[in-house]
């Protein structure tokens, strides 16, 4: 704060950070499971919810209403230490049947949902269950758990990911947060499980955003999420619709920064940043979406097509 303070001037070519950000070692696996909520604005505990599975192989969709929160997380630990949850029966054994109602969805005349069949499945509690809400937060039960498992035993030997557990919030009289998937757990054949996280990346897309609700509804949802301890740290950033690096605006985005999960830097700019250029959070680790070899193959494919 004085005139005697020395100033160090750096050449623009010498601005590379002396402290390297750790590059996280990643292993690429194929996820055979996909699940989406159709018409989330009409979903409720009394009216039910419509789910659309989209799987690479024949699968079985099983839904559990009012699953005990503690028992579910104990079941996930049993997958790690005791036995693999690769069938609905295995999950039910791990849960000790601590749920209110079970529904299973199969393809007509078959014991599974056919692969690549994006057919809507309607899930609703029976009237005799007499459940209109699951009480105030924090809750002892999740409204709905959806389990996707591979129907064919041979497929369980091929894929690393053998099942997926989705925790779904459904609005009721006590908690009007809009319908959404809160967590997705991918269960591996080796006994691990991972929480599937969303990457924050701007992209050229004409598809509607996930927040099609009004500003008032979004603010209500945010306050409800904060109340339940589920609010994400992601600020509402107005990003440009571009797949180019946010720094140089030239190279394609390829690097994911952790823990903020912003995907905003190219291969050339990643080495210059210890803080995320989007949110300014310090970067602990980073990993590329695709390797240099895969990028070269994509470029060569485009040249051949041209």
């Amino acid at each position: 704060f004085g005139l005697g303070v020395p100033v160090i001037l750096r050449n623009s070519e010498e601005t590379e950070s002396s402290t390297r950000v750790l590059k996280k070692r990643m292993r690429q696996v194929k996820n055979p499971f996909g699940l989406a909520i159709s018409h989330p604005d009409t979903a409720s505990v009394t009216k039910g919810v419509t789910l659309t599975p989209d799987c690479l192989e024949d699968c079985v969709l099983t839904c559990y209403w009012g699953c005990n929160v503690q028992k579910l997380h104990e079941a996930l630990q049993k997958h790690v230490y005791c036995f693999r949850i690769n069938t609905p029966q295995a999950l039910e054994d791990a849960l000790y049947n601590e749920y209110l109602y079970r529904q299973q969805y199969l393809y007509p005349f078959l014991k599974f949902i056919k692969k690549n069949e994006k057919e809507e499945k309607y899930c609703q509690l029976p009237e005799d269950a007499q459940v209109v809400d699951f009480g105030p937060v924090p809750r002892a039960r999740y409204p709905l758990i959806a389990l996707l498992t591979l129907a064919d035993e041979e497929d369980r030997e091929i894929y690393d990911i053998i099942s997926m557990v989705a925790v779904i919030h459904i609005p009721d009289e006590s908690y009007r947060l809009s319908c959404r998937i809160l967590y997705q757990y991918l269960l591996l054949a080796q006994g691990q499980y991972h929480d599937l996280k969303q990457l924050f990346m701007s992209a050229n897309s004409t598809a509607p955003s996930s927040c099609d609700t009004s500003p008032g509804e979004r603010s209500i949802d945010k306050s409800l999420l904060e109340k339940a301890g589920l609010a994400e740290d992601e600020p509402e950033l107005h990003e440009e619709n571009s797949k180019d690096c946010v720094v140089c605006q030239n190279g394609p985005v390829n690097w994911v920064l952790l823990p903020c999960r912003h995907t905003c830097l190219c291969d050339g700019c990643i080495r210059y940043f210890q803080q995320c250029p989007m949110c300014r959070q310090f970067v602990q680790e980073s990993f590329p979406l695709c390797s240099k070899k895969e990028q070269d193959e994509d470029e060569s494919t485009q040249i051949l097509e041209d």
Side-chain angles (χ1 to χ4, degrees), residues 1 8 28 32 38 42 45 59 72 79 115 125-126 137 151 155 157 207 210 212 227 245 252-253 266 274 288:
F1 296 95
I8 299 175
Q28 188 174 23
S38 304
T42 61
V45 169
C59 67
L72 175 65
H79 174 80
K115 62 181 180 180
L125 272 168
V137 292
D155 291 334
E157 301 295 328
S210 58
D212 289 333
K227 183 179 178 182
C245 173
V253 166
C266 66
Q274 295 182 45

Short mmCIF file of all heavy atoms in Angstrom, two decimals, residues 1 8 28 32 38 42 45 59 72 79 115 125-126 137 151 155 157 207 210 212 227 245 252-253 266 274 288:
data_model
loop_
_atom_site.label_atom_id
_atom_site.label_comp_id
_atom_site.label_asym_id
_atom_site.label_seq_id
_atom_site.Cartn_x
_atom_site.Cartn_y
_atom_site.Cartn_z
N PHE A 1 0.82 -1.20 0.00
CA PHE A 1 0.00 0.00 0.00
C PHE A 1 0.85 1.25 0.00
O PHE A 1 0.45 2.29 0.49
CB PHE A 1 -0.96 0.01 1.20
CG PHE A 1 -1.94 -1.10 1.16
CD1 PHE A 1 -1.70 -2.28 1.83
CD2 PHE A 1 -3.11 -0.99 0.41
CE1 PHE A 1 -2.61 -3.32 1.79
CE2 PHE A 1 -4.02 -2.02 0.37
CZ PHE A 1 -3.76 -3.20 1.06
N ILE A 8 6.39 -6.99 -9.60
CA ILE A 8 7.02 -7.95 -10.50
C ILE A 8 6.19 -8.02 -11.77
O ILE A 8 4.99 -8.31 -11.73
CB ILE A 8 7.11 -9.35 -9.84
CG1 ILE A 8 7.96 -9.28 -8.57
CG2 ILE A 8 7.68 -10.37 -10.82
CD1 ILE A 8 8.02 -10.58 -7.81
N GLN A 28 -12.58 -45.16 -17.99
CA GLN A 28 -13.81 -45.01 -18.76
C GLN A 28 -14.61 -46.31 -18.72
O GLN A 28 -14.09 -47.38 -18.99
CB GLN A 28 -13.48 -44.65 -20.21
CG GLN A 28 -14.71 -44.29 -21.03
CD GLN A 28 -14.34 -43.80 -22.42
OE1 GLN A 28 -13.27 -44.11 -22.92
NE2 GLN A 28 -15.22 -43.05 -23.04
N PRO A 32 -24.91 -48.77 -18.80
CA PRO A 32 -26.03 -49.30 -19.60
C PRO A 32 -27.39 -48.74 -19.19
O PRO A 32 -28.39 -49.02 -19.85
CB PRO A 32 -25.98 -50.80 -19.32
CG PRO A 32 -25.41 -50.91 -17.94
CD PRO A 32 -24.45 -49.75 -17.79
N SER A 38 -40.74 -38.25 -16.89
CA SER A 38 -41.61 -37.63 -17.90
C SER A 38 -42.69 -36.81 -17.20
O SER A 38 -43.26 -37.26 -16.20
CB SER A 38 -42.26 -38.71 -18.78
OG SER A 38 -41.28 -39.53 -19.38
N THR A 42 -46.49 -32.58 -13.39
CA THR A 42 -47.78 -33.18 -12.99
C THR A 42 -47.62 -34.27 -11.93
O THR A 42 -48.61 -34.83 -11.49
CB THR A 42 -48.48 -33.78 -14.21
OG1 THR A 42 -47.66 -34.82 -14.78
CG2 THR A 42 -48.74 -32.72 -15.27
N VAL A 45 -47.45 -37.35 -5.01
CA VAL A 45 -47.60 -38.62 -4.29
C VAL A 45 -48.96 -39.23 -4.55
O VAL A 45 -49.10 -40.44 -4.71
CB VAL A 45 -47.36 -38.40 -2.78
CG1 VAL A 45 -47.77 -39.64 -1.98
CG2 VAL A 45 -45.90 -38.08 -2.52
N CYS A 59 -33.48 -54.73 -19.38
CA CYS A 59 -33.35 -54.43 -17.95
C CYS A 59 -34.67 -54.62 -17.23
O CYS A 59 -35.73 -54.79 -17.84
CB CYS A 59 -32.83 -53.01 -17.75
SG CYS A 59 -34.01 -51.74 -18.26
N LEU A 72 -31.58 -47.73 3.16
CA LEU A 72 -31.05 -47.66 1.81
C LEU A 72 -29.54 -47.47 1.83
O LEU A 72 -28.80 -48.16 1.10
CB LEU A 72 -31.70 -46.51 1.03
CG LEU A 72 -31.10 -46.28 -0.37
CD1 LEU A 72 -31.35 -47.48 -1.27
CD2 LEU A 72 -31.64 -45.02 -1.01
N HIS A 79 -23.52 -53.64 -0.36
CA HIS A 79 -23.03 -53.92 -1.71
C HIS A 79 -21.50 -53.91 -1.73
O HIS A 79 -20.87 -54.66 -2.48
CB HIS A 79 -23.58 -52.89 -2.70
CG HIS A 79 -23.01 -53.01 -4.08
ND1 HIS A 79 -23.44 -53.94 -4.99
CD2 HIS A 79 -22.02 -52.31 -4.71
CE1 HIS A 79 -22.74 -53.83 -6.11
NE2 HIS A 79 -21.89 -52.84 -5.96
N LYS A 115 -34.32 -53.43 -24.49
CA LYS A 115 -33.30 -52.39 -24.63
C LYS A 115 -33.72 -51.36 -25.67
O LYS A 115 -34.39 -51.67 -26.66
CB LYS A 115 -31.96 -53.01 -25.02
CG LYS A 115 -31.94 -53.72 -26.35
CD LYS A 115 -30.56 -54.30 -26.62
CE LYS A 115 -30.50 -55.03 -27.95
NZ LYS A 115 -29.16 -55.60 -28.20
N LEU A 125 -48.82 -45.01 -6.03
CA LEU A 125 -49.20 -45.73 -4.81
C LEU A 125 -50.66 -46.16 -4.90
O LEU A 125 -51.50 -45.40 -5.39
CB LEU A 125 -49.01 -44.84 -3.59
CG LEU A 125 -47.64 -44.83 -2.91
CD1 LEU A 125 -47.57 -43.68 -1.93
CD2 LEU A 125 -47.39 -46.15 -2.21
N PRO A 126 -51.03 -47.33 -4.42
CA PRO A 126 -52.44 -47.73 -4.41
C PRO A 126 -53.22 -46.90 -3.40
O PRO A 126 -52.67 -46.39 -2.41
CB PRO A 126 -52.39 -49.21 -4.00
CG PRO A 126 -51.11 -49.35 -3.23
CD PRO A 126 -50.15 -48.39 -3.88
N VAL A 137 -39.40 -32.28 6.57
CA VAL A 137 -37.96 -32.61 6.51
C VAL A 137 -37.31 -32.27 7.85
O VAL A 137 -37.77 -31.36 8.55
CB VAL A 137 -37.29 -31.84 5.36
CG1 VAL A 137 -37.79 -32.32 4.04
CG2 VAL A 137 -37.49 -30.34 5.52
N ALA A 151 -31.26 -57.59 -17.00
CA ALA A 151 -32.13 -58.78 -16.99
C ALA A 151 -31.35 -60.05 -17.29
O ALA A 151 -31.68 -61.12 -16.77
CB ALA A 151 -33.26 -58.60 -18.02
N ASP A 155 -25.04 -60.36 -19.35
CA ASP A 155 -24.72 -58.93 -19.40
C ASP A 155 -24.06 -58.47 -18.10
O ASP A 155 -23.24 -57.55 -18.11
CB ASP A 155 -25.98 -58.11 -19.66
CG ASP A 155 -26.52 -58.29 -21.07
OD1 ASP A 155 -25.73 -58.62 -21.97
OD2 ASP A 155 -27.74 -58.13 -21.27
N GLU A 157 -21.92 -60.04 -16.51
CA GLU A 157 -20.51 -60.41 -16.60
C GLU A 157 -19.74 -59.46 -17.51
O GLU A 157 -18.53 -59.33 -17.41
CB GLU A 157 -20.37 -61.85 -17.12
CG GLU A 157 -21.07 -62.90 -16.26
CD GLU A 157 -20.44 -63.02 -14.89
OE1 GLU A 157 -19.21 -62.79 -14.79
OE2 GLU A 157 -21.15 -63.33 -13.92
N ALA A 207 -32.49 -27.54 -27.00
CA ALA A 207 -33.39 -28.20 -26.07
C ALA A 207 -33.72 -27.26 -24.92
O ALA A 207 -32.88 -26.46 -24.50
CB ALA A 207 -32.75 -29.48 -25.53
N SER A 210 -33.53 -27.38 -17.98
CA SER A 210 -34.22 -28.17 -16.96
C SER A 210 -35.04 -27.29 -16.05
O SER A 210 -35.88 -27.77 -15.31
CB SER A 210 -33.18 -28.95 -16.14
OG SER A 210 -32.27 -28.05 -15.54
N ASP A 212 -37.61 -24.96 -16.47
CA ASP A 212 -38.64 -24.32 -17.28
C ASP A 212 -39.71 -23.66 -16.42
O ASP A 212 -40.70 -23.17 -16.93
CB ASP A 212 -39.31 -25.36 -18.19
CG ASP A 212 -38.36 -25.82 -19.30
OD1 ASP A 212 -37.47 -25.03 -19.66
OD2 ASP A 212 -38.53 -26.95 -19.77
N LYS A 227 -33.42 -25.91 2.74
CA LYS A 227 -34.01 -26.38 3.99
C LYS A 227 -33.70 -27.85 4.21
O LYS A 227 -33.45 -28.30 5.33
CB LYS A 227 -35.52 -26.15 3.96
CG LYS A 227 -36.23 -26.55 5.24
CD LYS A 227 -37.73 -26.27 5.13
CE LYS A 227 -38.46 -26.71 6.40
NZ LYS A 227 -39.92 -26.47 6.28
N CYS A 245 -13.59 -23.00 -25.38
CA CYS A 245 -12.97 -22.65 -24.10
C CYS A 245 -13.40 -21.24 -23.69
O CYS A 245 -13.41 -20.31 -24.50
CB CYS A 245 -11.46 -22.73 -24.25
SG CYS A 245 -10.54 -22.14 -22.83
N PRO A 252 -11.52 -26.39 -28.21
CA PRO A 252 -12.71 -27.07 -27.70
C PRO A 252 -12.58 -27.39 -26.21
O PRO A 252 -11.49 -27.74 -25.74
CB PRO A 252 -12.78 -28.35 -28.54
CG PRO A 252 -11.36 -28.60 -28.96
CD PRO A 252 -10.74 -27.25 -29.14
N VAL A 253 -13.66 -27.25 -25.48
CA VAL A 253 -13.68 -27.57 -24.05
C VAL A 253 -13.40 -29.06 -23.86
O VAL A 253 -13.99 -29.90 -24.52
CB VAL A 253 -15.04 -27.20 -23.45
CG1 VAL A 253 -15.21 -27.82 -22.07
CG2 VAL A 253 -15.19 -25.69 -23.35
N CYS A 266 -9.87 -25.64 -22.33
CA CYS A 266 -9.31 -26.49 -23.39
C CYS A 266 -7.96 -27.05 -22.93
O CYS A 266 -7.45 -26.70 -21.87
CB CYS A 266 -9.16 -25.69 -24.68
SG CYS A 266 -7.95 -24.36 -24.58
N GLN A 274 -5.11 -22.28 -11.48
CA GLN A 274 -5.28 -22.97 -10.20
C GLN A 274 -6.66 -22.72 -9.62
O GLN A 274 -7.07 -23.36 -8.66
CB GLN A 274 -4.22 -22.50 -9.19
CG GLN A 274 -2.79 -22.86 -9.59
CD GLN A 274 -1.80 -22.41 -8.54
OE1 GLN A 274 -2.02 -22.62 -7.34
NE2 GLN A 274 -0.72 -21.80 -8.96
N PRO A 288 -9.59 -34.98 -18.18
CA PRO A 288 -10.07 -34.68 -19.53
C PRO A 288 -11.29 -35.51 -19.89
O PRO A 288 -11.45 -36.66 -19.43
CB PRO A 288 -8.88 -35.06 -20.42
CG PRO A 288 -8.20 -36.16 -19.66
CD PRO A 288 -8.40 -35.86 -18.20
#
